[in-house]
Amino acid sequence: MSAVRSSAQARGRDGPLLAVQDLHTWFELRQWGFLRVGSVRAVDGVDFELARGEAVAFVGESGCGKSSLARTLLGLHKPTRGEVVFNGTRVADLRGKDMQWYRASVGYVQQDPYGALPPFMDVRRILSEPLIVHGISSRVERERRIRQVLDEVRLSPAETILDKFPHMLSGGQQQRVVIARALVLEPSMIIADEPVSMLDASVRVEILNLLRRIQTERELTLAFITHDLSTVRHFADRIFVMYAGRIVEQAPVDELLAHPQHPYTQSLLAAIADVDAANARQQREVPGGEPPSLLHPPPGCRFHPRCPHAIAGVCEVDDPPQFEPRRGHRSACWLHR
Amino acid sequence: MAQKTLLSVEGLELQYQTRRGVARAVDGVSFDILANEALVVLGESGCGKSSLAKALLRVLPRNVHRFSGKVMLGDTDIMALSEEAFRRDVQWTRIAMVMQAAMNALNPVVRVGEQVAEPLRVHMGWSRARAMERVARTFEQVGVSTDFLQRYPFELSGGMRQRVVLAMALVTEPELVILDEPTSALDVLTQAGIMNVLKRIKQEQGTSFMLITHDVATSSEIADRVALMYAGQVVEVADAQDFFHAPAHPYSQMLMASVPRLRQREEPAHIPGQPPDLIDLPSGCRFADRCPSRFGRCAEDPEPIRLARRHHVRCWLHAGRSGGGGA
Amino acid sequence: MRRWLEGLRELRQYPSAIGGMALIAFLIALSVYTVIAIPYNQALDLWRGGEEWRMHPINAGPVWADRLTGGNKPETVLVSSADADVREAGFEGGRQVRIPLAFNYDYGDFPSEINLFLKTEDTDREAFVRLSWQTPDGETIPLGGRRIAQEDRVSISQNRALEARLGVSPHIGLFADALDGDDPSPQAGRYQLMVDAILYGEEASLDADLAVYGRVHGIAGTDHQRRDIMVALLWGTPVALAFGLLAAVGTTVTTLVIAATGVWFGGLVDATIQRLTEVNIILPLLPILVMVGTLYSTSIWLMLGVVIALGIFSAGIKMYRAMLLPIRQAPYIEAARAYGASNSRIIMRYMIPRILPVLIPTFVTLIPTYVFLEASLAVLGLGDPILPTWGKVLNDAQVQSALYNGFYYWVVSPALLLMLTGLGFAMLGFALDRVFNPRLRTQ
């Protein structure tokens, strides 16, 4: 249990752990510090629910808003509109101790393990920091928890690692320390933003397996943000595909990979081939153009300028709602109408 | 296919002097590239693959401790050329290179068209008009609209900038293009688009490529052959078909098993342990520590063993299978 | 912590670091010795000048410099009645005292001055004293007699009558071997000043102290007020180091915290700090200090305060800001926010420590800049009114036209110490820069 006990903890044990409703995170662009010249709509109307103990993946290209979504969930950005409801409590209403409880409840694993660790602190200090911030003043207690969590991320014996500085560790070890830091406050949810994209291929699987094992053992909710569809299959239960600030398709992993519904998802899958010598002799089908500007997104469906199946008079006019073309499989595309 | 050999590298060594000692970044590397062939140099970070590229193009840092070996480009021994002659006759004109993260190294205050024209004008002494005409053609080949000639780098997206950098390497129509991690910072669709361009140019112009990457999936998009590097050495070099489907070295096998596959059920497996320090290399096989099949002989340094035509592996497990020994 | 130790270990590879540290260690040792040997209050009293220095010559050069150049200039000779063979004879209502003050003199030059200090006790009336001078060749020169006050000084070298009689200044005439020559030289041997006194009172006593002032004195020489310059050189060391260190710490720490605060909060806070800095940068420091010194007070501590106050929003803010801006975006800071670290914790524990290694060399080289600033103020006549400092020695020297008069030592020694301070910190600073600044690391 977290060190900070609060009333918010008691509520809402039954519903989803995290519910996001109509979430918008816009960044205002200002000229000379005050003149508003527009907004970057990084997250632009996102709804979803995450159950306890579920592992989901948010997949999308850079600039699709997946990292902004992660930061909004972590409380690092204020939502422009909409709600994040955690454990039945609106995060926007949390103050003081309740907010600290929320921060302890959501762990954060970042992309660049070296950058994620302060270079001037040793591992003991790095892992002590969250505990100190959350009022655990007993050195003995901190040491106990640090050793426990190091053991959990398989960095043992702890003695060999505690006094090291980040630059003395390998990339994989660094990422384990980052994961240990996310776990040390005993969160109920972990948000991992591209946790392996900076690591070598041989280490990636190891880190992903570790995350998956901890997620199962601790019954954590894991939100796994990635641009790499091929790693998702084994490490998530559900996939959300994001494009230009919105979720365009969501489904269980196998369902989505087997029957992609949205034209964007289809083109993403077409661009990724499993390793094969024949790949070198094939041209991949790639939709033309580039993702739209989030400052001036196109009207209607945001994928319509690149979509091979765009329906004139429909797609560029109205926003597609979430259709459910197959059971448990939702896709925001007018083709399903 | 009886293609002629374009580049042949034998016993290339590159060592750096560091504070802690001598780092053997490239340690006795031999391979060759045929005309119109794409060789992928695959390896994890710190295995020496980028140093290999830098050694071939002689873009070396100041702390080089030792740089030796034999590199033949066609009939020219390019290691024997003076700096001056190398710069004049080889760099850009015969071998061009796209450096890692080169798209972020474009000059921000010069229009991209001018930057791409630079190798033509500086190395080949072309007139501006003639150079710009060629640049426009190259832009079309790499899929950049000629409207972008007059733009500045910051006005272009990452994918477009990478294509511009590619154009800069291709504009002199070199025989060999070396690409160091050309797509690693790019999105899936952009990446696929750029690989499409490379495939097309290889097919249409007969250019040879040497692509350096850590990503097995990317490597399969262009590779005719694959050279896998580990701790400064090439541990296996084989045709793509053999490498991807029947790798011989235990490291190659484990690496292939660690690649997550989108359309297959089996779970990827990781490689335990870490590569050795290039400054303090173990004696004997450098992979032995992590190798599940190591045995007594692994304490000796393995030589490249020939398994088939143009398929070599540095592993004692294959000694004696087809005569063994010799490169 | 270990990182710092590693850095220090690495420093040993740089000869300039060793040299710099040796110089700084010397200055620190000197400071510690000074503070213990001459306590603060005593130093202030000494530097105020006056009677304590009456036995010291005026504007004497250092002994070692004279000896080194083969000179044999006289040092000050002091003879006290306490050591003399005093003869007394009583009479009704008083006593007659005869004090022979003898000394050996074998220097190659004449003394600069001769004074006799007399002090009577328990006398009913003013005592009468008669003096006579005996040269080594047996000649006796009467120096006249007079009544003396309870504490009196007889300036033999200022005796106009004697000067008229001898034809030259008494301190030359009394020592010269042949008075007729144009270029007299001193006679070596035993001299004696006989003090014959009549004291009135049964218990009356007389102490006599003869000072034959030399032309060289001690290690550092003396100034126009007879003060030993060594006092100022010694005390100048802790003052300079303290001023430099405090000013450097004061400005660096405040500037750093303010810059980090501005960078972290951004927006209006940052804009305000930036504008204040821009205004402050164009304010000239030295003229403001001169103004404060002229109109208010020249206390060194006030100056220190003003230096720090003006240093808070200095150009350093711009530099630190540029260094901190990328750190603000660092993922580890985002992680700290995600686990709920407070703003102050992020500024003090996550942002500032990140740039400290790069700042330490700058900080070390900043110290002598403030030492020089303090010296410059003192040279301009705005030195601390009571504290002896290097700058004030220079200022005195300048006011007394030391170089014009050939008192080179008065200028050279404080200047040398200033230079050594600058050199020591600069050498260490540059070496530290190479150790802690990754961009300068040689491969």
Side-chain angles (χ1 to χ4, degrees):
Chain A
M1 274 293 122
S2 153
V4 183
R5 310 201 165 268
S6 80
S7 55
Q9 244 175 313
R11 275 175 247 150
R13 293 295 308 172
D14 308 323
L17 180 72
L18 184 84
V20 169
Q21 291 144 17
D22 192 31
L23 190 71
H24 292 69
T25 305
W26 292 7
F27 300 105
E28 275 177 8
L29 286 186
R30 287 164 193 257
Q31 208 167 10
W32 304 318
F34 56 92
L35 266 186
R36 274 182 216 183
V37 289
S39 298
V40 174
R41 305 170 180 197
V43 179
D44 200 22
V46 161
D47 298 78
F48 62 86
E49 287 186 352
L50 302 186
R52 285 163 214 284
E54 185 184 25
V56 301
F58 290 86
V59 178
E61 295 180 90
S62 55
C64 72
K66 59 190 194 298
S67 287
S68 300
L69 174 64
R71 293 195 176 97
T72 311
L73 295 184
L74 285 158
L76 299 177
H77 297 321
K78 271 209 160 46
T80 314
R81 205 162 77 216
E83 287 296 338
V84 178
V85 180
F86 185 79
N87 225 5
T89 316
R90 286 156 42 112
V91 172
D93 297 341
L94 295 177
R95 292 286 177 274
K97 279 208 151 187
D98 290 336
M99 192 61 202
Q100 286 298 79
W101 161 78
Y102 176 69
R103 293 200 180 283
S105 305
V106 185
Y108 186 25
V109 176
Q110 288 150 300
Q111 177 175 14
D112 166 15
Y114 184 66
L117 299 172
F120 47 86
M121 292 187 186
D122 59 17
V123 172
R124 176 181 279 111
R125 181 81 206 168
I126 288 169
L127 295 180
S128 300
E129 277 290 314
L131 296 172
I132 295 171
V133 166
H134 286 267
I136 294 169
S137 47
S138 152
R139 191 176 286 269
V140 181
E141 168 68 5
R142 288 204 301 260
E143 187 77 10
R144 188 186 65 76
R145 287 214 195 182
I146 289 170
R147 280 167 188 272
Q148 187 190 326
V149 80
L150 278 178
D151 194 45
E152 202 172 339
V153 298
R154 302 279 151 90
L155 279 175
S156 51
E159 283 72 26
T160 58
I161 222 92
L162 277 172
D163 294 323
K164 292 220 166 109
F165 286 87
H167 69 92
M168 304 172 182
L169 305 175
S170 71
Q173 287 174 320
Q174 287 167 359
Q175 194 60 298
R176 283 159 192 268
V177 174
V178 173
I179 294 171
R181 179 175 63 188
L183 290 174
V184 76
L185 291 171
E186 302 183 9
S188 41
M189 176 167 159
I190 294 272
I191 295 177
D193 189 357
E194 304 268 14
V196 295
S197 69
M198 307 272 277
L199 300 175
D200 273 322
S202 65
V203 188
R204 278 185 190 181
V205 180
E206 196 180 354
I207 295 293
L208 288 170
N209 279 333
L210 177 77
L211 273 174
R212 183 68 163 163
R213 183 175 54 74
I214 291 169
Q215 184 254 332
T216 336
E217 280 172 15
R218 290 202 177 200
E219 292 174 11
L220 290 172
T221 301
L222 177 66
F224 174 40
I225 285 151
T226 182
H227 70 281
D228 184 5
L229 257 176
S230 55
T231 53
V232 165
R233 172 166 206 140
H234 307 285
F235 306 101
D237 308 319
R238 270 201 297 161
I239 297 187
F240 296 88
V241 179
M242 287 189 74
Y243 187 76
R246 297 197 169 155
I247 291 174
V248 293
E249 185 164 0
Q250 48 186 300
V253 172
D254 292 336
E255 163 69 19
L256 188 127
L257 295 180
H259 310 284
Q261 296 295 307
H262 197 282
Y264 175 65
T265 316
Q266 289 166 357
S267 61
L268 264 189
L269 286 169
I272 305 168
D274 281 337
V275 176
D276 186 4
N279 290 347
R281 293 181 287 279
Q282 291 164 3
Q283 288 272 314
R284 306 243 154 253
E285 258 182 62
V286 180
E290 299 198 323
S293 147
L294 296 174
L295 193 57
H296 304 292
C301 169
R302 292 194 174 169
F303 191 59
H304 86 258
R306 305 173 73 186
C307 184
H309 312 293
I311 311 163
V314 179
C315 292
E316 75 272 28
V317 181
D318 291 317
D319 263 352
Q322 296 275 349
F323 293 98
E324 193 165 347
R326 294 164 64 90
R327 249 178 75 84
H329 191 148
R330 288 199 271 176
S331 166
C333 178
W334 285 117
L335 290 173
H336 311 305
R337 143 184 85 142
Chain B
M1 278 193 292
Q3 293 154 311
K4 70 179 207 314
T5 304
L6 174 68
L7 182 86
S8 148
V9 176
E10 233 182 277
L12 190 67
E13 288 194 32
L14 176 59
Q15 302 178 349
Y16 300 122
Q17 184 68 54
T18 71
R19 270 168 183 265
R20 286 165 48 229
V22 174
R24 290 148 78 179
V26 179
D27 198 19
V29 164
S30 307
F31 60 87
D32 46 32
I33 301 177
L34 304 182
N36 198 17
E37 185 181 53
L39 174 80
V40 169
V41 177
L42 196 59
E44 293 180 75
S45 53
C47 71
K49 57 189 193 299
S50 286
S51 294
L52 173 62
K54 287 177 185 156
L56 289 181
L57 257 194
R58 287 206 208 167
V59 274
L60 299 170
R62 276 187 299 174
N63 60 334
V64 169
H65 174 71
R66 183 188 158 95
F67 175 41
S68 66
K70 191 176 171 201
V71 182
M72 297 289 293
L73 179 66
D75 300 326
T76 328
D77 180 359
I78 60 172
M79 287 295 278
L81 293 179
S82 69
E83 287 293 318
E84 178 57 35
F86 184 81
R87 234 193 319 274
R88 193 183 57 232
D89 300 333
V90 179
Q91 259 180 1
W92 290 110
T93 48
R94 297 190 66 189
I95 307 180
M97 180 165 173
V98 176
M99 303 264 219
Q100 202 167 356
M103 64 184 217
N104 300 322
L106 285 168
N107 187 335
V109 295
V110 177
R111 296 175 203 275
V112 292
E114 303 285 344
Q115 292 192 55
V116 174
E118 216 174 271
L120 289 175
R121 306 195 58 203
V122 174
H123 291 267
M124 297 168 78
W126 287 22
S127 72
R128 190 173 180 282
R130 187 173 166 214
M132 290 313 281
E133 202 180 311
R134 168 71 77 80
V135 170
R137 216 174 72 212
T138 315
F139 264 42
E140 276 168 22
Q141 281 172 350
V142 299
V144 181
S145 155
T146 45
D147 300 345
F148 286 11
L149 283 170
Q150 300 301 315
R151 302 261 182 107
Y152 291 96
F154 72 90
E155 297 175 291
L156 271 55
S157 68
M160 281 299 154
R161 284 206 303 266
Q162 188 61 28
R163 282 168 194 249
V164 166
V165 169
L166 200 56
M168 206 191 284
L170 292 168
V171 75
T172 54
E173 298 187 342
E175 294 153 73
L176 175 66
V177 178
I178 299 176
L179 305 149
D180 192 358
E181 301 278 10
T183 60
S184 62
L186 300 172
D187 283 316
V188 181
L189 294 179
T190 324
Q191 201 170 326
I194 287 190
M195 294 316 287
N196 279 347
V197 169
L198 293 181
K199 289 178 210 176
R200 205 172 50 237
I201 286 171
K202 177 168 173 277
Q203 203 173 24
E204 290 171 2
Q205 310 204 350
T207 315
S208 295
F209 286 96
M210 179 173 142
L211 185 127
I212 289 158
T213 184
H214 69 280
D215 183 6
V216 182
T218 307
S219 75
S220 76
E221 291 291 323
I222 184 123
D224 293 318
R225 294 208 317 137
V226 179
L228 177 64
M229 281 189 79
Y230 186 79
Q233 294 177 326
V234 171
V235 293
E236 181 165 1
V237 55
D239 279 342
Q241 182 68 29
D242 293 338
F243 187 85
F244 292 134
H245 302 287
H249 196 283
Y251 177 56
S252 318
Q253 292 165 356
M254 293 175 85
L255 189 69
M256 290 308 297
S258 77
V259 178
R261 288 161 203 254
L262 192 60
R263 295 172 184 82
Q264 283 161 34
R265 283 236 158 250
E266 75 254 44
E267 293 230 355
H270 76 267
I271 309 175
Q274 284 162 38
D277 188 350
L278 291 176
I279 290 167
D280 184 23
L281 287 167
S283 62
C285 173
R286 292 171 188 182
F287 188 64
D289 274 359
R290 307 170 74 182
C291 183
S293 325
R294 77 175 158 271
F295 64 113
R297 209 167 168 195
C298 298
E300 294 168 51
D301 206 359
E303 290 157 21
I305 291 161
R306 184 176 183 276
L307 291 185
R309 200 178 76 85
R310 307 189 73 212
H311 188 169
H312 293 92
V313 63
R314 262 183 202 264
C315 177
W316 290 124
L317 292 171
H318 300 280
R321 191 186 282 184
S322 64
Chain C
M1 204 55 222
R2 199 182 311 160
R3 192 149 152 258
W4 302 107
L5 288 179
E6 260 170 46
L8 285 181
R9 213 167 299 138
E10 205 173 317
L11 264 187
R12 287 189 299 199
Q13 296 173 13
Y14 295 96
S16 80
I18 308 262
M21 283 194 285
L23 277 175
I24 294 168
F26 165 71
L27 292 168
I28 291 174
L30 200 63
S31 306
V32 172
Y33 164 77
T34 304
V35 174
I36 294 169
I38 316 172
Y40 182 69
N41 285 327
Q42 193 191 335
L44 294 192
D45 283 347
L46 281 173
W47 199 243
R48 205 171 292 128
E51 279 305 288
E52 318 198 19
W53 298 106
R54 64 182 191 179
M55 297 301 188
H56 284 66
I58 290 173
N59 292 339
V63 177
W64 57 271
D66 176 60
R67 300 293 182 263
L68 221 59
T69 53
N72 185 25
K73 287 187 176 167
E75 289 181 72
T76 302
V77 180
L78 299 174
V79 195
S80 168
S81 59
D83 307 324
D85 179 20
V86 181
R87 286 191 205 149
E88 297 188 26
F91 65 87
E92 181 65 35
R95 286 187 306 153
Q96 200 172 350
V97 181
R98 166 168 259 234
I99 308 171
L101 296 170
F103 59 95
N104 285 321
Y105 192 89
D106 54 359
Y107 294 107
D109 200 354
F110 296 100
S112 59
E113 226 182 330
I114 308 168
N115 278 340
L116 178 66
F117 297 93
L118 296 166
K119 189 178 174 194
T120 52
E121 266 171 34
D122 304 320
T123 50
D124 302 337
R125 277 188 282 148
E126 283 183 332
F128 186 86
V129 169
R130 192 161 51 81
L131 305 172
S132 62
W133 185 261
Q134 210 166 40
T135 56
D137 52 9
E139 195 187 346
T140 305
I141 305 165
L143 301 180
R146 54 179 277 200
R147 269 207 304 278
I148 55 161
Q150 206 161 52
E151 268 189 59
D152 209 339
R153 181 173 73 170
V154 183
S155 287
I156 297 171
S157 50
Q158 302 284 313
N159 190 332
R160 298 290 156 218
L162 181 62
E163 185 174 344
R165 228 174 339 128
L166 293 170
V168 286
S169 299
H171 58 274
I172 295 172
L174 291 177
F175 284 87
D177 53 353
L179 284 177
D180 38 84
D182 286 338
D183 190 18
S185 61
Q187 208 177 99
R190 194 163 178 83
Y191 291 82
Q192 184 175 287
L193 177 71
M194 190 60 82
V195 182
D196 286 302
I198 315 253
L199 306 173
Y200 303 95
E202 294 294 337
E203 297 297 315
S205 67
L206 171 71
D207 291 325
D209 290 289
L210 173 67
V212 180
Y213 299 99
R215 289 181 184 273
V216 290
H217 180 87
I219 300 174
T222 59
D223 67 1
H224 63 298
Q225 294 186 47
R226 301 180 187 278
R227 296 179 298 195
D228 191 341
I229 294 173
M230 197 62 194
V231 172
L233 295 184
L234 283 175
W235 256 94
T237 318
V239 171
L241 291 185
F243 187 90
L245 192 71
L246 287 176
V249 168
T251 51
T252 309
V253 170
T254 46
T255 310
L256 194 53
V257 171
I258 289 172
T261 308
V263 166
W264 178 242
F265 289 104
L268 197 62
V269 179
D270 193 33
T272 310
I273 291 171
Q274 292 308 305
R275 297 301 89 74
L276 274 174
T277 308
E278 278 147 24
V279 171
N280 194 57
I281 284 173
I282 56 164
L283 293 180
L285 177 64
L286 201 57
I288 289 180
L289 288 173
V290 170
M291 218 166 67
V292 172
T294 318
L295 300 178
Y296 186 64
S297 151
T298 53
S299 156
I300 195 168
W301 308 119
L302 178 82
M303 289 295 176
L304 180 64
V306 175
V307 165
I308 294 176
L310 289 173
I312 289 176
F313 289 98
S314 68
I317 287 201
K318 296 269 176 197
M319 187 178 87
Y320 301 153
R321 183 168 181 270
M323 289 159 80
L324 288 162
L325 270 176
I327 292 167
R328 183 193 200 282
Q329 310 290 337
Y332 76 83
I333 286 184
E334 194 176 56
R337 279 183 70 203
Y339 56 67
S342 64
N343 290 326
S344 59
R345 192 172 189 90
I346 286 175
I347 293 170
M348 302 305 290
R349 299 229 175 203
Y350 291 83
M351 290 175 74
I352 291 179
R354 184 80 176 83
I355 61 167
L356 272 187
V358 191
L359 285 193
I360 282 176
T362 327
F363 170 77
V364 170
T365 36
L366 195 62
I367 295 174
T369 351
Y370 287 115
V371 174
F372 290 148
L373 179 66
E374 187 270 329
S376 315
L377 285 172
V379 170
L380 290 174
L382 298 164
D384 187 272
I386 52 169
L387 262 179
T389 65
W390 297 336
K392 283 185 65 183
V393 175
L394 285 169
N395 179 239
D396 287 342
Q398 186 203 350
V399 170
Q400 299 297 321
S401 314
L403 286 177
Y404 177 75
N405 288 318
F407 308 143
Y408 59 92
Y409 55 89
W410 206 351
V411 178
V412 169
S413 45
L416 195 70
L417 279 166
L418 277 167
M419 272 159 53
L420 285 183
T421 311
L423 193 68
F425 284 101
M427 277 160 71
L428 179 64
F430 294 146
L432 282 169
D433 209 16
R434 259 171 281 162
V435 172
F436 285 118
N437 197 340
R439 275 172 302 174
L440 294 178
R441 288 193 91 124
T442 44
Q443 285 169 331

